[in-house]
Amino acid sequence: MTDLRIRAATPDDLDDVLAFWKVAAEGTSISDDRSGVEHLVARDPGALLLGERDGTLVGTVIAGFDGWRCHLYRLAVHPDHRRRGIASALLAAAEERFVALGGRRGDAMVLVRNERAQHAWRAAGYRPEERWRRWVKHLA
């Protein structure tokens, strides 16, 4: 995958990322807006990783580390570029980031209905943790 470039997003990338997620990502999040992604990149400039081929955005992953846990969100690959190792390369970059920051375990948010994503995560060595359930409360 020598033609894939992985880099951290900058504020100039954010409109393209938001448009990309509408095409490539499954589901939406309360933070899928300019303000939410700006805050992410400002707080942790290395967290939003982009995969590019010939200057075109083909994949993303958010690799957030809060000092305690490593969290993965928004692993998305453009439908025209799937099954080419892009997700694997993005996850490898995220895991390298976590190790460099002192992280010990990565966890991912994966929609229950998204079977394609579940297969990708399993192929990358991740497993569902059935003992835990996500609890949420919208703060805004």
Side-chain angles (χ1 to χ4, degrees):
M1 177 106 8
T2 58
D3 62 337
L4 181 69
R5 177 180 176 227
I6 297 176
R7 66 175 179 85
T10 69
D12 292 338
D13 296 310
L14 303 186
D15 290 330
D16 290 339
V17 168
L18 289 165
F20 176 81
W21 285 343
K22 289 180 181 177
V23 173
E26 179 76 23
T28 58
S29 167
I30 194 170
S31 301
D32 286 356
D33 59 24
R34 178 83 190 188
S35 175
V37 183
E38 279 178 344
H39 186 72
L40 168 69
V41 171
R43 184 188 173 284
D44 188 355
L48 176 53
L49 300 176
L50 308 181
E52 297 175 324
R53 276 203 170 130
D54 299 321
T56 300
L57 182 59
V58 295
T60 66
V61 68
I62 296 173
F65 181 63
D66 61 15
W68 180 256
R69 297 240 165 78
C70 307
H71 303 286
L72 294 155
Y73 309 93
R74 281 294 182 228
L75 176 62
V77 175
H78 191 281
D80 295 341
H81 294 270
R82 291 182 179 154
R83 312 268 321 143
R84 298 181 191 173
I86 295 168
S88 296
L90 285 164
L91 285 176
E95 292 167 1
E96 288 173 17
R97 177 176 198 268
F98 291 152
V99 169
L101 293 171
R104 298 183 191 181
R105 178 185 72 201
D107 65 55
M109 298 293 301
V110 184
L111 288 171
V112 172
R113 70 175 187 261
N114 192 343
E115 291 184 25
R116 179 184 8 241
Q118 291 179 37
H119 291 296
W121 286 103
R122 276 193 179 87
Y126 290 78
R127 300 288 175 258
E129 180 59 65
E130 302 297 340
R131 297 178 299 169
W132 302 97
R133 180 159 314 255
R134 181 176 181 220
W135 292 45
V136 298
K137 176 182 178 181
H138 291 250
L139 301 175

